[in-house]
């Protein structure tokens, strides 16, 4: 059958048949109205139209290192579609009605499938685009539930041919990236519907947190720090008496984390039974990977979200090491799968560094979240009024200019600004003498966890005169200002600002919305992290102190404020649910915040107006400030662009919050025939949805996620309030099954999670420091789970390439339930590696590992076959610290690619990167991450992975 036939027929069913029975791509039928087709002419490659703003601004000043290899594989690219004018108008009307008390649509949220049916592409158009992509040689990975993007995979050469732009390598301040060298283009027939082609650049957004001036030691240095207990006291959360029980929050990130850090944090807080987050790995995003800097961000996000709502279920949605994937993909996945009604994001990028196409594509996803009732909380940035300051790829003029952060500048999120306590109100001596004693318990020789006594008056956070060590630009202040991309929303009109607010003439979105304490110095937040970038050894080994019972892990920034407020929104949801029969989400909470603030009585009781300080760029003469950014923005009475509406008195805010919908609450429960099924066996899962109060039987459907991926055959229709699902574990370890009831005309949505376990093992490893030219070792510990026994073989990859070095690890045997140690041998001299077996095969594509390289690392050109083999294996096995996810497609690809390739002899995994160099060259000093993947020798579905950080001096 000719591919062009698909275009002529425009029939989704034929496309599915053409893909074959093994394909996971299905075009969902529209269950509401069928949208009109928008692609009205044949797709002709000879007539092309550029996608404006698709060339990343960040490469404009980077050093162009030339085109990437033509055969470099690229996975999970997305063609993103815009909405028609009629659809966009209908969506904006819907979001307004959903946020208007008294409207029949008030808090009547959509499911992702309902959103796609109303605001996505129709079957015919999706089929035409899908067929065209296949004609260009791409394989189709997935069509989003929102029906506004098609994910596909191919090579760099296919991208250049299909979209008229080569991908080039760029060098930026020692980092290596690749991105389109020019604006992309598409056939003219698609120009009216294609908004962007995303996931073609390795530039990732950055976390928003700041380190303090030094590592402090509490009573040993006389400083005061914040924990969730202090936050609850200062902002009057404790009196609310809520824990977030029954609620859920999604935290998004771009690294894996160690659950030990979460446990240590809660233990240090005095919580007797720590509650771990549920890990949701974004499929197709590479290998599970712990990224320095990103891990620290995700640790604090999870710890403070759970700390403010200890009874809530927290989902951590994160991506792996595929350099084309970032936190944007985590957000998109959390929204398209409606993971939770509250989303906390602590990443951002200044608007100037964001291409127009990328802005539109991401903001479109955030609009979907708003229509689904998801409250998205983000930081406003930590560089004051010139938000681009310190971004090395920007011109000096751009860095010094006024700018705001995105997604904080989106109309669909709540942007968190930063405040701080005046220096005299923070303990600065071991005695904590007056006036600090007014607000803090005095130090008594031991750490006091939760020492704040009451609300502490705030000013705008601005520590520019004492720049923090974690900020490359030297600025340390809360972000805020005027967006250049987003129009001013109706809820932010002058009439909705607090009484006394000076007139603000701008027609664009103002940032931030509210503020909480953000300074890393007055006073910083305590958190726990094994991220090496913290500089702390054994973080939270002894309470909040390190392995030596001395140092604390401390930071600040608006990225603390986002998870804190996300936890508070979950408390609002909890309060709404039992008293108003089931409001499970607030959507864009800004409409309510500004409505309450416009009432002078409510503003005085529920908000703390911050009227002193500024977020000006204060480091004069440092080439960081323009005259404008050096003078903007100062706090005033009412709303201002330094602190927003101010901070909050949460209990009063909660009391003033308007009632939710009139739907009856529902409860969803899951039960399994067995909680420890064998790999490959059937496990009967029963999902029951009942009335949370009163009587009646819920109807409708239940959507299932298994290990964060939509289950086949889902959603399931309820029959007498119940549905059945057969779970067949394809791998060992823990598996998380999440059921989300979408609600009906009488009952509100609800969600529940079940964890089942089966045989597997967990890997941990020590991280050595080795003098170049010398050998070293790492101890890999294998901890069996659920009675696992067996033999384990290994594959090891390195990022960046471990040039001139090699490593080996003998197969290990686990005879019983006790942990087993294996020794990973590491050589840092090519001379010592000269006798090791070479694992390079002539003719193997030298760019095969480019897409598996760690973000920010050099493309792994010329990588040995051993690394390629290991990278492909890990691509098919998504491992987590407490459970594993499997990709059957990835394993099948591995099997196909490795047929006929030589294996590692001697029952061990080894790799040699000396490029046949026998002159005695050593591994270059630096930090290398070895990803160690262990696989059961008789059952390849059972595996685990860990990361080893090797420091070569």
């Amino acid at each position: 059958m000719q591919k062009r036939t698909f275009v002529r027929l425009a029939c989704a069913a034929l496309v599915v048949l053409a893909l074959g029975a093994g394909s996971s791509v299905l075009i969902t039928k529209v269950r509401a109205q069928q949208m009109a087709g928008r692609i009205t002419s044949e797709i002709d490659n000879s007539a092309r139209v550029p996608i404006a703003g698709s060339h990343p601004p960040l490469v404009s000043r980077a050093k162009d290192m030339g085109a990437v290899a033509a055969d470099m594989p690229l996975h999970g690219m997305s063609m993103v579609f815009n909405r028609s004018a009629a659809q966009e108008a209908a969506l904006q009307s819907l979001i307004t009605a959903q946020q208007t008390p008294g409207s029949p649509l008030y808090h009547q949220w959509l499911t992702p499938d309902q959103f796609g049916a109303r605001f996505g592409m129709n079957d015919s158009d999706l089929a035409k685009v899908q067929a065209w992509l296949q004609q260009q040689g791409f394989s189709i990975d997935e069509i989003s539930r929102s029906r506004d993007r098609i994910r596909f995979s191919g090579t760099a050469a296919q991208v250049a041919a299909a979209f008229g732009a080569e991908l080039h390598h760029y060098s930026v301040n020692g980092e290596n990236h690749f991105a389109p060298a020019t604006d992309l283009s598409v056939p003219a027939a698609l120009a009216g519907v294609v908004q962007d082609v995303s996931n073609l650049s390795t530039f990732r957004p950055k976390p928003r947190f700041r380190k303090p001036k030094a590592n402090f030691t509490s009573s040993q240095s006389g400083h005061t720090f914040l924990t969730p207990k202090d936050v609850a006291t200062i902002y009057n959360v404790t009196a609310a008496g809520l824990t977030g029980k029954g609620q859920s929050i999604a935290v998004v990130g771009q690294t894996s984390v160690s659950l030990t850090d979460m446990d240590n944090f809660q233990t240090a807080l005095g919580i007797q039974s720590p509650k771990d987050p549920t890990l949701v790995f974004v499929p197709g995003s590479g290998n599970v990977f712990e990224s320095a800097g990103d891990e620290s961000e995700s640790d604090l996000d999870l710890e403070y979200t759970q700390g403010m709502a200890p009874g809530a279920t927290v989902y951590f949605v994160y991506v792996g090491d595929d350099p084309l994937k970032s936190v944007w993909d985590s957000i998109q996945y959390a929204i398209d799968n409606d993971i939770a009604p509250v989303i906390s994001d602590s990443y951002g990028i200044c608007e100037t560094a964001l291409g127009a196409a990328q802005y539109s594509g991401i903001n479109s996803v955030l609009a979907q979240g708003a229509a689904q009732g998801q409250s998205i909380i983000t930081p406003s940035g930590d560089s004051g009024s010139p938000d681009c300051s310190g971004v090395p790829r920007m011109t000096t003029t751009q860095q010094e200019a006024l700018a705001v952060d995105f997604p904080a500048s989106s109309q669909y999120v709540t942007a968190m600004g930063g405040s701080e306590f005046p220096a005299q109100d923070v303990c600065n001596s071991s005695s904590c003498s007056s006036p600090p004693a007014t607000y803090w318990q005095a130090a008594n020789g031991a750490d006091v966890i939760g020492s704040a006594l009451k609300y502490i008056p705030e000013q705008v956070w601005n520590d520019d005169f004492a720049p923090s060590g974690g900020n490359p630009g030297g600025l340390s202040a809360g972000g805020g200002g005027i967006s250049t991309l987003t129009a001013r929303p109706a809820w932010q009109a002058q009439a909705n600002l607090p009484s006394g607010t000076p007139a603000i003439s701008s027609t664009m979105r103002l940032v931030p919305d509210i503020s909480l304490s953000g300074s890393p110095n007055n006073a910083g937040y305590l958190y726990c992290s094994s991220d090496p970038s913290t500089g702390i050894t054994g973080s939270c080994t002894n309470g909040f102190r390190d392995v030596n019972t001395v140092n604390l892990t401390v930071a600040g920034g608006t990225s603390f404020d986002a998870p804190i407020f996300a936890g508070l929104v979950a408390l609002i949801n909890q309060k709404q649910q039992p008293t108003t029969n089931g409001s499970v989400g607030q959507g864009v909470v800004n409409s309510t915040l500004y409505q309450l603030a416009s009432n002078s009585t409510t503003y005085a009781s529920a908000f703390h107006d911050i009227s002193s300080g500024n977020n000006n760029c204060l480091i004069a003469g440092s080439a960081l400030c323009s005259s404008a950014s050096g003078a903007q923005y100062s706090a005033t009475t009412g709303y201002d662009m330094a602190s927003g509406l101010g901070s909050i008195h949460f209990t009063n805010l909660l009391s003033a919050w308007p009632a939710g919908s009139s739907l009856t609450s529902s409860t969803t429960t899951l039960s399994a025939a067995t909680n420890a099924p064998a790999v490959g066996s059937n496990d009967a899962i029963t999902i029951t949805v009942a009335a949370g109060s009163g009587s009646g039987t819920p109807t409708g459907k239940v959507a299932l996620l298994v290990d964060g991926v939509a289950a086949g055959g889902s959603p399931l229709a309820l029959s007498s309030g119940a549905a059945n699902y057969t779970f067949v574990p394809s791998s060992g370890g823990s598996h998380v099954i999440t059921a989300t009831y979408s609600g009906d005309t009488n009952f509100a949505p609800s969600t529940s999670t079940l964890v089942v376990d089966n045989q597997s093992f967990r890997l941990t490893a020590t991280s050595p420091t080795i003098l170049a030219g010398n050998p070293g070792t790492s101890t890999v510990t294998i901890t069996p789970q659920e009675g696992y026994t067996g033999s384990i073989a290994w594959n090891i990859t390195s990022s960046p390439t471990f040039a001139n070095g090699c490593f080996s690890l003998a197969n290990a045997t686990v005879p019983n339930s006790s942990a087993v140690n294996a020794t990973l041998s590491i050589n840092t001299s090519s001379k010592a590696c000269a006798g090791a077996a070479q694992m390079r095969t002539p003719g193997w594509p030298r760019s095969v590992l480019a897409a598996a390289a760690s973000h920010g690392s050099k493309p792994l050109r010329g990588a040995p076959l051993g690394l390629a083999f290991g990278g492909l294996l890990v691509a098919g096995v998504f491992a987590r610290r407490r459970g594993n996810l499997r990709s059957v497609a990835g394993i099948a690809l591995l099997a196909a690619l490795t047929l006929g390739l030589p294996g590692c002899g001697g029952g061990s995994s080894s790799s040699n990167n000396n490029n046949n160099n026998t002159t005695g060259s050593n591994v270059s000093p630096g930090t290398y991450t070895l990803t160690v993947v262990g696989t059961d020798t008789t059952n390849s579905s059972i595996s685990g992975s860990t990361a080893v950080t090797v420091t070569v001096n």
Side-chain angles (χ1 to χ4, degrees), residues 415-435:
M416 301 300 299
S419 67
E420 67 178 324
F421 312 123
Q424 65 268 23
D425 293 333
V426 179
C427 291
N428 51 20
S429 68
S430 60
S431 62
C432 276
S433 58
S434 180

Side-chain angles (χ1 to χ4, degrees), residues 26 66 88 231 291 473 523 566 590 758 760 843 849:
L26 295 175
E88 186 62 33
V231 174
S291 171
N590 295 353
N758 50 25
S760 184
L849 283 182

Side-chain angles (χ1 to χ4, degrees), residues 744-896:
D744 60 17
T745 56
N746 298 311
F747 290 93
S750 56
T751 187
S752 182
T753 297
L754 174 71
V755 178
V756 296
D757 296 280
N758 50 25
Q759 290 188 353
S760 184
F761 53 84
R762 182 164 57 91
L763 301 178
T764 56
T766 59
S767 295
T769 297
I770 307 171
L771 184 64
N774 291 290
T777 61
S778 169
T779 300
V780 179
T781 301
I782 310 153
T783 304
Q785 308 288 308
E786 300 296 326
Y788 169 80
T789 59
S791 178
I792 301 171
W794 309 94
N795 276 282
I796 307 167
T797 61
S798 173
S799 178
T801 304
F802 206 62
N804 297 316
C806 58
F807 31 82
S808 64
L809 181 59
N811 285 6
T813 299
V814 180
N816 50 46
S817 60
S818 299
V820 173
N821 289 334
T823 300
L824 170 63
S825 298
I826 305 167
N827 278 308
T828 62
S829 167
S830 60
K831 186 175 181 179
C833 296
Q838 294 292 314
M839 299 182 66
R840 186 186 303 281
T841 296
W844 186 263
R846 296 178 66 84
S847 61
V848 70
L849 283 182
S854 165
H855 71 276
S857 66
K858 296 180 180 180
L860 301 184
R861 289 189 169 194
L865 181 59
L867 295 185
F869 183 90
L872 287 170
L873 177 63
V874 181
V877 182
F878 305 134
R880 304 187 308 182
R881 286 184 176 268
R882 294 195 177 179
N884 302 312
L885 302 175
R886 301 293 184 269
S887 168
V888 175
I891 294 172
L893 175 62
L894 169 67

Side-chain angles (χ1 to χ4, degrees), residues 491-655:
W491 41 258
Q492 207 177 46
Q494 189 73 37
N496 293 330
L497 300 182
S499 176
T501 300
I504 304 174
S505 60
S506 174
T507 60
M508 305 303 285
R509 161 82 152 110
L510 310 176
V511 177
D513 296 309
I514 58 174
S515 292
L516 299 175
S517 178
S519 171
N521 301 309
N522 295 325
Y525 290 91
L526 298 178
Y527 70 109
C528 303
S529 179
S530 54
D531 189 328
S533 72
T534 64
I536 301 296
T537 301
S539 172
C540 298
T541 301
N542 298 287
F544 279 110
R545 296 185 181 276
D546 67 353
V547 68
N548 298 314
T549 319
V550 176
N551 290 308
L552 302 164
T553 312
V554 184
T558 54
S559 62
F560 278 91
D561 300 341
I564 288 171
F565 192 66
L568 298 184
V569 174
L571 302 188
I572 294 174
N573 289 344
Q574 181 189 6
K575 191 251 184 181
Q576 292 273 312
Q577 193 160 350
T579 59
T580 62
N581 294 325
S583 175
V584 297
Q586 303 301 312
V588 184
V589 298
N590 295 353
S591 56
T592 300
L593 289 172
Y594 283 85
Q595 172 198 346
L596 295 176
S598 66
N599 181 297
S600 58
T601 301
T602 305
Y603 186 64
S605 66
F607 296 83
H608 299 295
D609 187 11
I610 299 174
S611 56
S612 64
N614 59 67
N615 66 350
N616 300 3
C617 185
L618 299 178
I619 307 180
S622 64
L624 294 174
C625 314
S626 67
S627 58
S629 64
Q632 300 290 342
Y633 295 90
S634 295
T636 64
T637 298
Y639 181 89
D640 55 72
M641 287 167 281
S643 67
L645 297 170
S647 66
I648 58 173
H649 184 299
F650 181 71
T651 298
N652 290 348
L653 181 70
L654 189 67
S655 297

